[in-house]
Amino acid sequence: MSPAETVHVPLDGGRAYDILVGRGLLAGIGPRVAELGARAVAVVSDTTVAGLYGEAVLGSLREAGLRAGLVTVAPGEGSKSYATLAAVCDGLLAERIERRDLVLALGGGVVGDLAGFAAAILRRGVRFVQAPTSLLAQVDSSVGGKTGINSPHGKNLVGAFHQPVLVLADTATLDSLTPREMRAGYAEVAKYGLIDDPAFFAWCEARFGEIFAGGPARETAVAACCRAKAGVVVRDEREDGERALLNLGHTFAHALERLTNYDSARLVHGEAVAIGLALAFRFSARLGLCPGQEAGRVANHLALAGLPTTLRAVPGGCGDADSLLDAMRQDKKVRDGALTFILARGIGRSFIAPGIDPGEVRAFLADELERDPRS
Amino acid sequence: MSPAETVHVPLDGGRAYDILVGRGLLAGIGPRVAELGARAVAVVSDTTVAGLYGEAVLGSLREAGLRAGLVTVAPGEGSKSYATLAAVCDGLLAERIERRDLVLALGGGVVGDLAGFAAAILRRGVRFVQAPTSLLAQVDSSVGGKTGINSPHGKNLVGAFHQPVLVLADTATLDSLTPREMRAGYAEVAKYGLIDDPAFFAWCEARFGEIFAGGPARETAVAACCRAKAGVVVRDEREDGERALLNLGHTFAHALERLTNYDSARLVHGEAVAIGLALAFRFSARLGLCPGQEAGRVANHLALAGLPTTLRAVPGGCGDADSLLDAMRQDKKVRDGALTFILARGIGRSFIAPGIDPGEVRAFLADELERDPRS
């Protein structure tokens, strides 16, 4: 089956790769992986996704003449841990994955980050393919080569830059997501508009229902996000500059995830990002950088998509302003102790703001903690 | 204090670095590290080495204006584990090491491999300095960027290529090594002669006593080994070809270490390498590639330096030929199931031998298991 859309990621050093986007692509994954020249493939997945697509994927790989095995982990952010990383590495070794073989990450962002990191460090690096099955993974985490796990000190603090050799985004897999998972992924879709593409944000406002329902707008949106992200990654692979814009909303989001102990029953990444996006715009407005009505438009659209947009919307709470500030300090974007935020002058007009005064942030957070969760 | 010898490693992409070799260099480590432009340094060491040099190194770093902290691990190969890696990463985060800061590995090969790997994956990569304090680390593991830990499936099966930004080899630290540790490191010194430098091997035969005793031959030998290794690494950083020659003796050695459960009471890496070197030459002789008297000369010199050269010299034994062969198959140098060995046509005439018949290896090992350990 031909993909509806192909996004090429022209990285140097022989590391260019394609992102294929289309409905039903998983059924034909075997021949596409076989073209990459491996002898064996280890599929890494979580038990939920493996139950849905594992047999079909293994069958397609084997039909294409590849030796294929399966390594599974528990679903959820808790698997981005040192212990699960060790179990995956040992699982890949038990599958006798050699330097020329492949790891295939089949699942959402957790599986992709974890399997990609395991591939990066197994025998000091083997190739890997991303087959993202969540909206969040298809539009964000599967593209760009950031892999990693969480530490008790914070999210994604241990990891590697390791680019996939192929990304295959089967949009039919999104039909099996819960509404909550779909909404969470949608926060990252909206983010691309907010960063630098006001027309895309306006298109999202008009068409987001179709993305959720599975009309052709879904492939258009996934490909648009991949194209936006790929462009940034090619220009700034290691986040020395521009790539940091992709973290719009994420300094807040990572702190919230940390303070809720990465407990997905309370908060998943995309929900944290939605709150973070709303906060980034309101903080920008408070600093006089962005019109207040733009911040309101952002929060309204996210709320319309069913996403939380306030600190008090976090089930079980998220601590006080000082705990939030402390959690933010552990972010990788800390440099010499000062806080760097991604702020905005309006929708589609984000920028990197280094050296933000922690006192300003604390005062903002204290006010936000008073805000009505329905506002 | 100026180093007696400086070896430059001209890697591309801004990754060139210097190896400084000299007696007493640790006392001046602070200013040299400060020149690298970090704000904070975390020293990773084992409790033994930290007890000997920790305060002096921390003092020198702090005098040079750097924030410096210490992360210690237990001595011994057992620390090259998933659990210790996690503890070191969390220790570095507790020291608030940021992307521009530095990790300093102070210790032998275990500390260097472990701390280097932790630096490679902390925040997806921070810079690190090697201050090797064992002969083995000074001549081998601190140079070239291979970092990693062991898996229950085998040695160094999980890791990263991550080059140091400076190597500082203080040869005075070797005075505190036990004779056993010194001998173990010496196996790697002799290896460089055996790979491609028969004149250096002959010089070693004449001067090895001075290397052990701490005369000027020690700095000459350390620098010669670093120069040899740096040359190979620059030409073939990722071991697509020539770099594999540095593994002379190591396919056997890794299997022996695995079968003795990485128990350094029984066998340390350098002892395993000594046996591996003797086996590689005797196997070459058996295959008709190398004169038998050259293999004898290799074993004689290693034995004169107090090193083991036979399988039966392994305390507690090392299993039968089949277990040895199985352990070798887990080596990273396995490709499509066939075994690759480094063999030799004589002293200083090693070469990569892919596709070695496992049956030949099994028969050779079975005979070696009968060999008198004193022969």
Side-chain angles (χ1 to χ4, degrees), chain A residues 39 82 85-86 89-90 93-94 96 98-100 117 120-125 146-148 151-153 156-161 238-239 329-332 334-337, chain B residues 39 82 85-86 89-90 93-94 96 98-100 117 120-125 146-148 151-153 156-161 238-239 329-332 334-337:
Chain A
R39 202 183 64 126
Y82 293 117
L85 176 70
C89 288
D90 286 342
L93 291 167
R96 304 223 161 184
E98 301 179 4
R99 280 200 181 149
R100 294 193 161 182
F117 187 30
I121 62 177
L122 189 83
R123 300 174 189 274
R124 300 200 184 92
K146 280 195 183 177
T147 70
S151 148
H153 290 273
N156 295 323
L157 287 176
V158 174
F161 286 96
R238 298 218 159 219
E239 196 168 323
R329 281 187 202 278
Q330 266 300 332
D331 201 82
K332 288 187 298 306
V334 173
R335 177 162 293 176
D336 296 343
Chain B
R39 202 182 65 124
Y82 293 117
L85 176 71
C89 287
D90 286 342
L93 291 168
R96 303 223 162 181
E98 301 177 4
R99 279 203 181 146
R100 292 191 163 183
F117 186 30
I121 62 178
L122 190 82
R123 299 176 190 273
R124 299 201 184 93
K146 280 193 184 178
T147 70
S151 147
H153 290 274
N156 295 323
L157 288 177
V158 175
F161 286 96
R238 296 216 159 221
E239 196 169 323
R329 282 187 202 279
Q330 266 300 331
D331 200 82
K332 289 186 298 306
V334 173
R335 179 163 291 176
D336 296 343

Side-chain angles (χ1 to χ4, degrees), chain A residues 24-237:
Chain A
L25 292 179
L26 274 188
I29 196 169
R32 293 194 194 276
V33 170
E35 277 173 18
L36 301 168
R39 202 183 64 126
V41 181
V43 177
V44 179
S45 195
D46 68 37
T47 47
T48 305
V49 174
L52 290 168
Y53 311 112
E55 279 313 303
V57 167
L58 288 172
S60 177
L61 293 167
R62 286 171 185 152
E63 255 180 59
L66 294 156
R67 177 162 65 74
L70 180 66
V71 176
T72 57
V73 301
E77 187 79 20
S79 283
K80 282 179 64 174
S81 67
Y82 293 117
T84 309
L85 176 70
V88 170
C89 288
D90 286 342
L92 297 174
L93 291 167
E95 289 293 331
R96 304 223 161 184
I97 294 299
E98 301 179 4
R99 280 200 181 149
R100 294 193 161 182
D101 296 330
L102 282 165
V103 173
L104 193 158
L106 174 69
V110 167
V111 163
D113 286 4
L114 175 68
F117 187 30
I121 62 177
L122 189 83
R123 300 174 189 274
R124 300 200 184 92
V126 302
R127 298 177 297 163
F128 85 115
V129 171
Q130 292 268 23
T133 61
S134 73
L135 179 56
L136 186 137
Q138 291 188 355
V139 301
D140 180 29
S141 57
S142 69
V143 178
K146 280 195 183 177
T147 70
I149 57 172
N150 304 324
S151 148
H153 290 273
K155 211 171 139 61
N156 295 323
L157 287 176
V158 174
F161 286 96
H162 190 53
Q163 296 289 343
V165 291
L166 174 70
V167 180
L168 191 144
D170 181 345
T171 48
T173 61
L174 308 189
D175 296 342
S176 62
L177 297 184
T178 64
R180 187 183 179 204
E181 290 167 320
M182 197 69 193
R183 289 194 297 266
Y186 183 71
E188 298 279 1
V189 175
K191 185 190 74 175
Y192 288 102
L194 297 176
I195 291 173
D196 65 355
D197 193 345
F200 181 66
F201 187 75
W203 180 85
C204 283
E205 287 178 310
R207 304 282 292 272
F208 79 96
E210 232 187 272
I211 299 172
F212 280 65
R218 183 183 282 178
E219 284 77 48
T220 306
V222 170
C225 295
C226 289
R227 204 168 284 117
K229 179 153 185 184
V232 173
V233 168
V234 166
R235 291 189 296 272
D236 177 25
E237 187 177 358

